[in-house]
Amino acid sequence: MNYRIVHTTRYRYEAPVAISHNEAHLLPRSFAGQTLTGGRLDIQPPCSDYRDRQDYFGNTASYFAILQPHQDVTITATCDVRLTAQRRQLWLGGDMDWQQARQRLAAPNDAELLDAMQFCLDSPLVRAEAALHEYAAGSFAPGRPLTDAVADLMTRIHADFAYDPAATDVTTPPLEVLRRRRGVCQDFAHLAIGCLRSLGLAARYVSGYLETVPPPGQAKLAGADASHAWLQVYLPDVGWQDWDPTNNLQPSDRHVVTAWGRDYSDVPPLKGIIYGGGDNHTIDVQVDVTPLPDTPNAS
């Protein structure tokens, strides 16, 4: 499956900004099953410095600085991505129980396990709390295969929590989400990650995009798509597998990965420092995820 993604963010400040330094995670990753075939950032007003780098987790982080006074900024990321059948493969040999997986992660004996172990630890926005362990325990009976237990946890989160964009913000901790029983995709990903880490398992945060489908008989509105968040869980000897608790499914050929990290704070779409701008600003975000013809020349 081929997609073109156009992600536009507009900042409007109440007073002029003298200088801004910014970092973006807007260019999707390339890995087995997903290839970025073309991508660029258009920044207005033009930036004085721009460079891409690989961050600690291997994501593309784009740095740019605007060194002239400005009161409006528009960042548009345009990317073409190809997803292949490899993304649709589910776990093979997924009969290892979750306690065995925890034991392997607690005593890593190879580089891959050692790398995965860091995602068992607390991170800036996700802590392994006792209340999360208690909620997770309903899915993780002794000896239950990890794949079955994770699938059950995703189903429970999907059933127990309401999608409510007004209930939380990017700083809301998983414990508060658990108490309110509502939130958005980022919250449900953080909640699931906290549950898994409370059990000694490795889970990481994934940011990206999901192709949305309008109701039958309705046209898809321009700019109506949105960025999305889900998680990956590590199974020793097999690898990482995607899970989407917001939609209670395993991502396949409609989820495009931009970046992964310990939690949202590692991979926000945009962050930066501004000098000036006043006390208030507005943000407008529009996203379009458009399928392209499934041909070698689609990009």
Side-chain angles (χ1 to χ4, degrees):
M1 193 70 183
N2 296 285
Y3 290 103
R4 174 161 294 160
I5 300 161
V6 180
H7 182 148
T8 301
T9 306
R10 297 181 180 89
Y11 290 91
R12 295 179 177 87
Y13 302 96
E14 68 174 7
V17 173
I19 296 173
S20 66
H21 297 273
N22 311 272
E23 185 177 79
H25 284 94
L26 291 170
L27 299 178
R29 296 182 67 118
S30 289
F31 56 95
Q34 176 175 301
T35 303
L36 177 66
T37 58
R40 70 180 189 277
L41 264 59
D42 178 65
I43 301 158
Q44 297 296 330
C47 56
S48 303
D49 188 12
Y50 177 95
R51 53 185 177 270
D52 291 328
R53 67 176 180 87
Q54 275 202 333
D55 68 12
Y56 172 80
F57 301 103
N59 309 303
T60 297
S62 305
Y63 165 81
F64 60 95
I66 302 174
L67 304 182
Q68 69 267 35
H70 55 281
Q71 205 162 340
D72 299 85
V73 178
T74 301
I75 305 103
T76 301
T78 303
C79 307
D80 290 352
V81 178
R82 180 184 304 121
L83 305 183
T84 65
Q86 191 165 355
R87 278 292 303 279
R88 294 192 290 269
Q89 294 177 356
L90 304 184
W91 269 330
L92 301 176
D95 56 352
M96 178 183 291
D97 74 54
W98 68 270
Q99 291 159 305
Q100 290 176 303
R102 179 176 63 184
Q103 291 170 359
R104 294 283 302 279
L105 286 160
N109 57 8
D110 60 41
E112 187 174 283
L113 277 167
L114 187 62
D115 181 71
M117 185 183 176
Q118 67 183 307
F119 297 101
C120 299
L121 307 176
D122 289 347
S123 57
L125 298 179
V126 181
R127 300 181 60 85
E129 307 278 2
L132 299 180
H133 183 282
E134 181 180 354
Y135 181 78
S139 298
F140 287 80
R144 189 173 191 179
L146 178 58
T147 51
D148 291 350
V150 173
D152 187 69
L153 178 64
M154 299 303 120
T155 299
R156 289 174 56 219
I157 291 174
H158 183 261
D160 293 346
F161 293 78
Y163 189 90
D164 183 355
T168 59
D169 59 36
V170 295
T171 63
T172 303
L175 276 183
E176 185 65 16
V177 176
L178 182 64
R179 184 186 69 81
R180 296 182 186 180
R181 297 294 172 115
R182 54 205 320 111
V184 294
C185 57
Q186 171 192 297
D187 300 306
F188 304 149
H190 280 163
L191 175 70
I193 291 168
C195 287
L196 292 160
R197 289 179 184 170
S198 74
L199 297 166
L201 300 169
R204 64 190 183 191
Y205 181 92
V206 183
S207 68
Y209 303 97
L210 170 63
E211 180 200 5
T212 59
V213 179
Q218 296 185 24
K220 187 172 182 178
L221 300 177
D225 293 315
S227 56
H228 193 44
W230 59 97
L231 68 145
Q232 293 177 342
V233 183
Y234 184 76
L235 178 64
D237 302 327
V238 178
W240 293 94
Q241 184 66 43
D242 297 75
W243 296 83
D244 180 352
T246 303
N247 297 292
N248 192 26
L249 54 78
Q250 286 192 265
S252 57
D253 58 358
R254 292 177 54 225
H255 288 66
V256 176
V257 174
T258 300
W260 58 59
R262 296 168 300 169
D263 58 39
Y264 172 86
S265 68
D266 285 331
V267 291
L270 286 161
K271 66 179 180 180
I273 299 173
I274 64 171
Y275 297 89
D279 295 329
N280 298 297
H281 67 276
T282 61
I283 305 174
D284 178 51
V285 179
Q286 292 188 330
V287 178
D288 286 299
V289 181
T290 306
L292 296 175
D294 206 6
T295 66
N297 296 320
S299 62

